[in-house]
Amino acid sequence: MGSRKNLCKMKYWKKLHSHFKAVDKLKMRDLFDKDKNRAEEFTIQFENMTFDYSKNRITDKTMRLLFDLAGECNLSEKIEAMFKGEKINITENRSVLHIALRNRKNKPIYVDGKDVMPEINAVLAKMKKFSDSVRFGEFKGHTGKKLKNIVNIGIGGSDLGPMMASHALQRYWAKDIKCYFISNIDGTACAQVLNEVNPEETLFIVASKTFTTIETLTNARTCRKWLVDELGEHAVSKHFVALSTNKEEVAKFGIDTENMFEFWDFVGGRYSLWSAIGLSLAIAVGMENFEKMLDGAYAMDKHFRSAAFEKNIPVVMALLGVWYNNFFNYKRYGVIAYDQYLKYLPAYLQQLDMESNGKSVDVNGEDVKYSTGPAIFGGAGTDVQHSFFQLIHQGTDVVPCDFIIPAISHNEIGEHHEILVSNAIAQVEALMRGKTEKEAADELVKAGKPKGTVEFLKKFKAFSGNRPSNTFVFKKIDPYALGALLAAYEHKVFVQGVIWNVDSFDQFGVELGKQLALRILPELKGDLHPAEHDSSTLSLLKIIRNYRK
Ligand code: G6Q
């Protein structure tokens, strides 16, 4: 991304710091009272998605300064650089082209002078052919039975995307097909799935970009052995396919490369749902729905690339995140999905965001002097209202949150959805408004509590409010809407990476633990190497060896 002025020295960064002092004193309640058009002013409509960011600690001026900061960071040029296939992943010298995977108009995108679209389209066509043939029972198992259990074996980016999206779109699954996901190296993960499926009806999809990841290969070997023990070696070609960039390793593992679906090093793991990594999803929901998801993402890509910053959902999301992270010092971020099908969305976004922007060295190789990616967590409403929302409402740390609300449920049963939606709306209102001590006291008086109790309890029952949130409202969570939503988050993360001047597309932080695990593995059984460890590590090894005796 080239050398750039330090963020802290930028004109609009400094202006935002002075402006922050004024905004810090403001109450959102008052801002809403003063300006009846606030909601309208701070809402962006994108097709069937409404993004209301009015419940944030911002004024017009805040947003103007944030947009100016984005300009000062050359955001528009950086966006173009990504879409044009420039090698913006500077530490790995790679283009970042998940956007090419859903480039539905097929306009050429060049990497090293070669248009990547023909290869992408060829893999999509191969995915269509294969997913149709599994769904319609033409591609059968070794004993001639229909493949009804689709088991994706992968981890990290090769698991979370398809796992989250398959659950999000469960209503679109073919009636007789079920998806399973094995990611953890914990043998229990394998055992739980293998106990449920019948080998004759099971297709294993080994998803690994590198095809060297120890968890995935160990799980895949266990599943392969299980299948071979049941059906014999000849069954493998009818029950195993691979999704990878690494033909050689796929062949070495014992999967025919004819059964391999390729992708490329310009697709980062956590951005790979749109590639062959989505095969389990495509089989479950059908390629038509998979392509609708790509269409939704493409629509968001176009919006991101062309909308003015003021009307640009990912840009606004990102700048608000920077505003809280770097000015208010709010280091955590919540994502609350009011849709049971989206229950894994926070886990997916956790990887997307934290692996991308959990960095402390900038693209010039300098230590950053400001904080970068926040800790992301979340869950499904209303469940989480009964768990961590206490802290969200009354904790000492403020956690800005995104609330995701579909207006229509896939399961309109009785009053369930009305109750769900009213809870979601009530939460964002409560976070913004809070409850003053006087309001708390009045309620206690009304409930007939004696004066002493009122005086004692009113402080406990008061809510500071002024806690920020964004609200996404969708008509319904369908493949198109899901695609658009996920792409919005991807671009949010990208924009924040640009502001913080980090490479959002590498993940060296996950390497050290992997290296040490390989060193420690033989020590669980064989010789210990005390000189190589600290006393705690050594003692843990000894304790575990003892328990395992
Ligand atoms: C994601 C990361 C990481 C990766 C896994 C699995 O961006 O790169 O989560 O997806 O480590 O890697 P493989 O797909 O190579 O097995």
Side-chain angles (χ1 to χ4, degrees), residues 16 19 23 57-66 323:
L16 278 159
H19 172 68
V23 174
R57 299 181 64 179
I58 51 167
T59 64
D60 278 350
K61 186 171 173 193
T62 318
M63 294 315 294
R64 250 184 297 123
L65 290 172
L66 286 167
W323 180 230

Side-chain angles (χ1 to χ4, degrees), residues 39-57:
E40 202 183 315
E41 193 184 336
F42 294 125
T43 292
I44 303 175
Q45 186 66 34
F46 168 76
E47 301 186 3
N48 275 338
M49 176 201 283
T50 306
F51 175 63
D52 175 350
Y53 65 101
S54 60
K55 292 192 187 76
N56 279 292
R57 299 181 64 179

Side-chain angles (χ1 to χ4, degrees), residues 92 153-160 207-217 243-245 263 267-272 277 351 355-356 505-507 510-511 514:
E92 296 177 310
I153 307 172
I155 196 162
S158 299
D159 165 70
L160 282 161
S208 176
K209 181 172 166 179
T210 55
F211 233 77
T212 56
T213 307
I214 191 164
E215 291 93 333
T216 300
L217 291 190
L243 319 174
S244 188
T245 57
F263 61 111
V267 181
R270 54 195 173 277
Y271 298 88
S272 64
I277 289 292
Q351 183 198 24
E355 209 166 65
S356 297
F505 302 102
D506 60 17
Q507 57 284 314
V510 300
E511 295 299 325
K514 279 196 208 171

